[in-house]
Amino acid sequence: MVGTYLVERYVASTARDDLLPGLRRLRAAAARMRREGQQIRYVRSVLIPADQTWMHFVTAPDRESVERLVETAEMEADRISEALETWRTAADGPAPRDDEGSGRMR
């Protein structure tokens, strides 16, 4: 069974130009591992500048697969944790809108 994992990194710089190479390596490593038949997928990343924390969400069959992904991407992880996803229901109403832009790194 595939689960969701959170890879946490504490970063000295939150500048986009400093972070993009690592993000590209992580995505490429996940794609390469997937082509090799491993059930791993990069989902998304979240940067919390005030805490200098960069979090990456991936799906994988186990923690060891995530550790291999991080190693293949030539990254460091301060912590890898299994994450349980929660979902919004219709009773919660519509999701909040981000009128200031998505804040996503590309």
Side-chain angles (χ1 to χ4, degrees):
M1 183 168 161
V2 174
T4 301
Y5 291 84
L6 176 64
V7 178
E8 291 182 61
R9 287 189 62 203
Y10 300 99
V11 292
S13 169
T14 59
R16 181 176 188 228
D17 289 343
D18 294 336
L19 299 176
L20 279 179
L23 181 58
R24 288 181 180 132
R25 287 194 312 272
L26 185 66
R27 288 177 173 170
R32 182 169 54 249
M33 291 172 73
R34 204 163 166 79
R35 282 192 304 273
E36 293 169 354
Q38 298 178 50
Q39 291 183 321
I40 195 155
R41 184 173 63 95
Y42 167 84
V43 178
R44 69 183 160 276
S45 295
V46 175
L47 176 65
I48 303 172
D51 292 335
Q52 293 181 295
T53 305
W54 198 17
M55 300 180 193
H56 309 283
F57 292 88
V58 298
T59 59
D62 51 46
R63 180 189 171 94
E64 290 77 20
S65 297
V66 180
E67 290 170 350
R68 281 194 301 277
L69 170 65
V70 170
E71 182 179 315
T72 300
E74 299 177 359
M75 293 179 77
E76 294 180 19
D78 292 297
R79 183 166 59 173
I80 297 173
S81 306
E82 185 171 14
L84 301 176
E85 293 193 50
T86 58
W87 295 269
R88 295 182 63 80
T89 67
D92 294 328
R97 287 195 51 198
D98 180 2
D99 293 326
E100 299 299 320
S102 69
R104 293 176 56 186
M105 296 177 102
R106 298 192 187 268

